[in-house]
Amino acid sequence: MSWCAVDVRSPGDSRDAVASWLVGRTGQAVEERDDGTLVGFSETEAAAEQLLGELHARFGAGVDGRARALPQVDWSARWRDGLAPRAIGRLVVTPSWLASAASPESRIIIDPESAFGTGEHGSTRSALALLERHLQPGDRVLDLGSGSGILAIAAARLGAPAIWCGRLGRDSLGDLVEQTLRAAEVQTVIVRDSAPTGIMVKHERFGGDVHVDYHRA
């Protein structure tokens, strides 16, 4: 599917009304640029032309607009472009496709789509920073959680005997979490049952809003 942008110019006194109408009509966010142009979105060129016709009928000749095709983007791969390794003290959290940029002794490989706890959220980074700052040789770490196991992996990378305890489903996602922990030499105490493994996925919507969805495998 090739989406179209709809660039709309209107008098200043009707701009808010036009923007509100576009949001209600398309169900999509509207971008307001510095020059006053409103940018809406339609799923096809035909839908964009129909939208412009309805816009002119609703607001008159004072409103001008044009449709332009947007380049096709494979969002199943494009979302990776905004990710990079994150350095937190001696630790480096990185997705698997960028793992070569960090030394094996310091890196924690977590793919963002696999589970909640990937280093992208500030709470995870804060917990990692506290571990890196306060963990002492000989300390033992017990991670009781249901995410990616990132804190237990970090403790193991910092030289502490670490154990991860949690419940996982008998599914591919549960297998992935367990394999990741064991590859990082983290001991595990895992209960596997018939309930599916749950994950939280964070994503950014139009307009910059961040939304977290909860899914089960």
Side-chain angles (χ1 to χ4, degrees), residues 200-212:
M200 290 183 177
V201 179
K202 183 179 73 173
H203 58 91
E204 186 171 331
R205 293 177 164 177
F206 282 117
D209 292 335
V210 174
H211 189 74
V212 177

Side-chain angles (χ1 to χ4, degrees), residues 85 92-104 107-111:
V92 178
V93 183
T94 178
S96 58
W97 57 90
L98 298 173
S100 60
S103 67
R107 71 187 179 199
I108 303 172
I109 301 174
I110 301 286
D111 285 341

Side-chain angles (χ1 to χ4, degrees), residues 125-212:
R125 295 197 296 274
S126 296
L128 289 170
L130 289 171
L131 265 179
E132 198 273 339
R133 187 179 306 160
H134 296 293
L135 197 63
Q136 300 296 320
D139 286 350
R140 292 178 175 270
V141 175
L142 177 63
D143 182 4
L144 293 170
S146 57
S148 63
I150 189 172
L151 299 182
I153 296 172
R157 286 285 183 265
L158 293 169
I163 301 175
W164 186 89
C165 299
R167 182 184 298 272
L168 298 172
R170 296 190 184 96
D171 48 53
S172 59
L173 180 57
D175 293 341
L176 176 63
V177 172
E178 185 173 2
Q179 290 165 9
T180 301
L181 289 164
R182 291 185 174 177
E185 300 181 352
V186 174
Q187 298 180 56
T188 58
V189 179
I190 295 173
V191 176
R192 303 295 291 261
D193 58 28
S194 58
T197 305
I199 61 172
M200 290 183 177
V201 179
K202 183 179 73 173
H203 58 91
E204 186 171 331
R205 293 177 164 177
F206 282 117
D209 292 335
V210 174
H211 189 74
V212 177

